[in-house]
Each structure stands twice: as structure tokens, then as C-alpha cells.
């Protein structure tokens, strides 16, 4: 009976989260398709995509983290039936996301030369440079899409971003096929073809999502009546105050995984390619937890707007439980498939790269075992973070994520990741340590805040 008060929410939580999960998986699927197709070209090309995307991941973390500030504000306004407040959050959020998209693109171009100073294989760096140019440009439409998506999520309209992401995947797969391998009369561009696919797929996503928001009843009156040149300094300040810590939270986590890519690169191109395979597979399951995190942010934000703190706590715990149950299933999948799942990334019939491919698969299979263990920690930490954003509590969680990933996780990765210690396995043990610390501390924070809110409301 005690458990049923949480499980009763599973159906609605999944209904709300599933389109978000599919949309998130769509983003990751772009990377999966790139990796699978590029992997057919060789381990150096796969490592180059990994290195180039490591810079992109940092920029995307900042952008997506910042844009999440839009969702809880819109969700709270929607529950309280404050349409003007929601419209203001949409307008100012879009302005800030557009400016940030341009800034992040510029940041990547400025940071590119750092690849030469990072002790990465020179063959990999030379391949990564032109790839990074085009993918960096795709950050601009991606950030516009993120602003639209977070607004749509805040209104609990989670299907539209999913549709847009699915279209993006279709565009990406088709362009990858014809441009990477030179099919249907198109030139054979290798990994540059994958970059073109990413860029045009993100343009398509923006176009479809804007069309849907502009023509659907629940969102039309928000987006069609916006006075774009009228600014409210208080709303700008609110989004910035919420968005900046949220961006830092995501940056701290993504940056430690990016550091793992760079540390793997110091071990050679094969460990770096193996790291990319394990990271890409792990990111697929992480997107499920991210979808639940968005659901937690929406539902907690709604209950906060209604001042129903007991329900807020119960709903938050129900999503934590659902996330852990799904993560347990993924952990079993990774344990059982730790040797077979990496096989989809490399061509087993490639005689020229046979020895490299065998080494990559051997390393990747070991990393999958560590990835299986951290499924539970990864799920709990990101869902708890979403719930705390729904409460608009962002400052202390920022400190928690920094301590977890950079005071605990990274030093362990750096120490154990040396070639004469545990190498790639050591790097991933450090990631596991950081995720576990974050999960425990963020859960404690949510538990403390919700108890305090209930006590204060009962006085």
C-alpha cells in the first residue's frame, strides 16, 4: 500500500516523459548513426569524431543547461494560469538562447587550436579539424531549437519536440548515407559528410518545431503574439539567475566525460575509439533518465505553482523510483551484452584494420561493465537534478555537482587512468565515483527541501 502511492504515478510520468525520451534519444541517435557510419571508415576516423564532438559536448552542455531555466518558469505559470508570465518567459528565453547559440559557435572556433596542445594522436587531430568547423555552426540552430523545446515542455506539450527530432534523424541518416560514402551521385566526403548531416538535420528540427508551435491551439497564442522588442528586465534576470547555475551543473558533468575522452586520447587512438563506443551506448540509456528528469521538472514545477508541497514530494519520489527501476533493466542489458553491443560500431570484415578493431572491442567490452554499474547512479542524479530545477533550487546543486565530478570523480579518473595503472578502466571508475556521489547528495538535498516546505506550509 505504501509503495502504491508512488507506483500509481508511473503511468502519467511515462506518458509525459516518453515523448521527451524519444526526442532525447533522437539527439543521441544522430551521434549513434554518425559513429556507426564513420566507424566503417576506420578507428582513426571514429576517434576523430569523438575528439571533435568532445568540444561540441561542452558547448551543448552550457546551452542546454541554460535553456532548462525556461521550463520550470513556464510550468509554474501554466499551472497558475498566468499566461502573460509564460509568454514573457518564452520571449526572453528565446532571445537568450539565440545569443548563446552565436556565442557558443564562436567559442568553438576560438578553442579549436587547443587540440594540438592536448597530446592527442596527430592523425586524429587532422581529421577532426574540418569536421569540427561544420558541427560548430550547427550549434546556432540547435540552441534556437532548445529554446522552443524547453518552452513546449513547460506547457506539458512534449510531443512536438519529439516530432521535430524524429524528422532531424531522418534527414541526418539520409545525408550521412549519401555524403559519407558518396552514394546516389553525391561526392564521398567521409567524416565531413557526417558533419553536413548534423548541420542540416538541426535546421530541419527548428523549422518543424516552430511550425507546430505556431499552428497548434495550446501554443499558438503564446508564440504568435510576442512583442519581440519589448523587454522585461526582471524576467531576463530570473532566467539568467536560474539558467546560469543550471548550465554550470550540466557543464561540470559533461566536462568530466569530455575529460575522459581526452584522457583516453593520451592512451592512443584505440582506447579513445573504445571510450567513444562505451560513451555513445551509455548516452542512449542516459537519455531515458533525462526524459524522466524533464518530467520531474515539469511536475514539480506545476505542484510548486499550486503550492501543493506534499504532492510535490510524493510525485518527485515516484519519478526517482521509476528511474531506478528502468536503470536496473539497462544495467542488466549492459552486463549481458558487454561483448556484443560494441560490435555494431566496427566492420569485422575489415582486414586492414583487424588488429585495431580487436583491441578497440576488447577495451570497450570492459568499459561496458563499469557503465552497467553506474546506470543506477546516473539515473538518480539526473532525475533529482530535474526535480530540484522544478523547485527552482539551482545554487546548492551547482556546488554539489562540482564537488562530485571535479573534487571526487576526476582525480580518481586521472590517477587510475594512467597507462601503467588501470588505463581506460581506471578512467571509468572515476566517472562511476563522481556519479554516485552526485546521486546521493542531490537526493539528500531534495529530501531536505521538500520536508522543509511541507513543515513551513503547515504552520
Amino acid at each position: 500500500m505504501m509503495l502504491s502511492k508512488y507506483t500509481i504515478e508511473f503511468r502519467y510520468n511515462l506518458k509525459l516523459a516518453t515523448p521527451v525520451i524519444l526526442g532525447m534519444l533522437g539527439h543521441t541517435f544522430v551521434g549513434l548513426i554518425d559513429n556507426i557510419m564513420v566507424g566503417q571508415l576506420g578507428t582513426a576516423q571514429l576517434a576523430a569524431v569523438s575528439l571533435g564532438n568532445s568540444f561540441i559536448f561542452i558547448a551543448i552542455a552550457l546551452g542546454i543547461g541554460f535553456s532548462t531555466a525556461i521550463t520550470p518558469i513556464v510550468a509554474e505559470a501554466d499551472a497558475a494560469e498566468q499566461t502573460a508570465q509564460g509568454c514573457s518567459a518564452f520571449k526572453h528565453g528565446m532571445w537568450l538562447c539565440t545569443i548563446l547559440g552565436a556565442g557558443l559557435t564562436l567559442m568553438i572556433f576560438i578553442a579549436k587550436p587547443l587540440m594540438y596542445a592536448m597530446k592527442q594522436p596527430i592523425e586524429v587531430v587532422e581529421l577532426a579539424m574540418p569536421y569540427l568547423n561544420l558541427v560548430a555552426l550547427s550549434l546556432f540552430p540547435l540552441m534556437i531549437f532548445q529554446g522552443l523545446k524547453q518552452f513546449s515542455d513547460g506547457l506539458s506539450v512534449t510531443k512536438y519536440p519529439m516530432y521535430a527530432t524524429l524528422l532531424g534523424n531522418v534527414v541526418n541518416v539520409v545525408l550521412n548515407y549519401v555524403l559519407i560514402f558518396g552514394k546516389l551521385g553525391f561526392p564521398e566526403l567521409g567524416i565531413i559528410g557526417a558533419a553536413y548531416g548534423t548541420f542540416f538535420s538541426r535546421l530541419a528540427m527548428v523549422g518543424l518545431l516552430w511550425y507546430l508551435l505556431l499552428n497548434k491551439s495550446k501554443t499558438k497564442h503564446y508564440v504568435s503574439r510576442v512583442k519581440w522588442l519589448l523587454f522585461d528586465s526582471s524576467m531576463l534576470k530570473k532566467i539568467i539567475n536560474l539558467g546560469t547555475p543550471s548550465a554550470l551543473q550540466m557543464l561540470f558533468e559533461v566536462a568530466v566525460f569530455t575529460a575522459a575522452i581526452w584522457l583516453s586520447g593520451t592512451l592512443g587512438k584505440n582506447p579513445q575509439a573504445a571510450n567513444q563506443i562505451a560513451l555513445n551506448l551509455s548516452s542512449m540509456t542516459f537519455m531515458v533518465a533525462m526524459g524522466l528528469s524533464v518530467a520531474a521538472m515539469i511536475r514539480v514545477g506545476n505542484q510548486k505553482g499550486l503550492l501543493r508541497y506534499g504532492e510535490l514530494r510524493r510525485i518527485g519520489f515516484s519519478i526517482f523510483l521509476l528511474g531506478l527501476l528502468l536503470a536496473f533493466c539497462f544495467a542488466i542489458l549492459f552486463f549481458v551484452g558487454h561483448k556484443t553491443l560494441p560490435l555494431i560500431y566496427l566492420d569485422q570484415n575489415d582486414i586492414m584494420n583487424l588488429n585495431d578493431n580487436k583491441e578497440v572491442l576488447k577495451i570497450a567490452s570492459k568499459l561496458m561493465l563499469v557503465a552497467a554499474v553506474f546506470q543506477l547512479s546516473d539515473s538518480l542524479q539526473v532525475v533529482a537534478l530535474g526535480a530540484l530545477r522544478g523547485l527552482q533550487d539551482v545554487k546548492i546543486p551547482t556546488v554539489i555537482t562540482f564537488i562530485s565530478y571535479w573534487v571526487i570523480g576526476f582525480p580518481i579518473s586521472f590517477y587510475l587512468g594512467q597507462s601503467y595503472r588501470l588505463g581506460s578502466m581506471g578512467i571509468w571508475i572515476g566517472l562511476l565515483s563522481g556519479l554516485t556521489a552526485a546521486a546521493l547528495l542531490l537526493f539528500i538535498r531534495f529530501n531536505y527541501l521538500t520536508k522543509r516546505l511541507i513543515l513551513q506550509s503547515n504552520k
Side-chain angles (χ1 to χ4, degrees), residues 318-365:
S318 75
I319 302 177
F320 296 162
L321 179 59
L322 178 59
L324 288 173
L325 288 172
L326 291 173
F328 182 72
C329 295
F330 293 138
I332 293 174
L333 175 65
F334 278 19
F335 269 120
V336 172
H338 72 280
K339 289 185 177 180
T340 54
L341 288 172
L343 291 173
I344 65 175
Y345 289 84
L346 297 171
D347 183 2
Q348 298 304 294
N349 298 316
D350 184 356
I351 303 300
M352 186 179 299
N353 295 300
L354 184 61
N355 290 332
D356 284 339
N357 288 350
K358 284 183 177 179
E359 183 183 359
V360 169
L361 292 171
K362 181 180 178 181
I363 298 169
S365 66

Side-chain angles (χ1 to χ4, degrees), residues 33-180:
I33 291 299
D34 285 353
N35 283 309
I36 290 174
M37 290 188 172
V38 169
Q40 309 309 305
L41 302 176
T43 58
Q45 286 82 353
L46 184 59
V49 169
S50 173
L51 179 60
N53 282 338
S54 70
F55 282 74
I56 299 298
F57 291 156
I58 292 177
I60 289 177
L62 282 169
I64 292 179
F66 188 89
S67 71
T68 58
I70 301 169
T71 301
I73 298 173
V74 173
E76 185 179 355
D78 182 41
E81 298 183 352
Q82 297 174 343
T83 304
Q85 184 84 344
C87 188
S88 179
F90 167 68
K91 176 179 68 177
H92 293 89
M94 286 304 302
W95 268 114
L96 291 169
C97 285
T98 302
I99 293 168
L100 188 57
L104 291 173
T105 301
L106 181 62
M107 181 185 77
I108 294 296
F109 281 111
I110 293 173
K112 269 198 322 173
L114 288 175
M115 281 196 284
Y116 287 106
M118 290 165 53
K119 298 181 180 179
Q120 304 296 301
I122 191 64
E123 176 188 8
V124 172
V125 174
E126 294 295 340
L127 286 168
M129 276 290 188
Y131 171 82
L132 190 55
N133 287 337
L134 274 170
V135 180
L137 289 174
S138 75
L139 288 173
F140 187 71
L142 179 63
M143 279 310 303
I144 295 173
F145 173 80
Q146 273 303 128
L148 295 171
K149 176 192 178 301
Q150 299 298 157
F151 161 72
S152 187
D153 288 346
L155 291 177
S156 301
V157 183
T158 54
K159 290 184 178 180
Y160 300 163
M162 177 190 71
Y163 296 149
T165 305
L166 291 175
L167 173 65
N169 274 284
V170 172
V171 172
N172 185 63
V173 170
V174 171
L175 289 180
N176 272 4
Y177 177 73
V178 300
L179 293 176
I180 291 176

Side-chain angles (χ1 to χ4, degrees), residues 371-451:
V373 177
F374 75 46
Q375 292 300 302
L376 295 171
S377 299
D378 207 11
S379 178
L380 181 56
Q381 65 85 21
V382 74
V383 176
L385 205 51
L388 289 168
R389 286 172 183 159
L391 283 171
Q392 299 181 25
D393 176 58
V394 290
K395 292 183 180 178
I396 297 300
T398 302
V399 176
I400 288 173
T401 53
F402 177 78
I403 291 172
S404 299
Y405 300 126
W406 289 96
V407 177
I408 298 173
F410 179 73
I412 294 174
S413 287
F414 185 82
Y415 178 77
L416 295 180
Q418 307 301 312
S419 58
Y420 54 88
R421 293 193 176 99
L422 297 179
S424 296
M425 278 286 286
I427 293 171
W428 277 60
I429 290 171
L431 297 177
L432 171 62
S433 303
L435 289 168
T436 303
L440 292 173
L441 292 173
L442 291 169
F443 175 80
I444 291 169
R445 176 68 177 170
F446 180 82
N447 184 54
Y448 164 75
L449 285 181
T450 52
K451 280 185 175 180

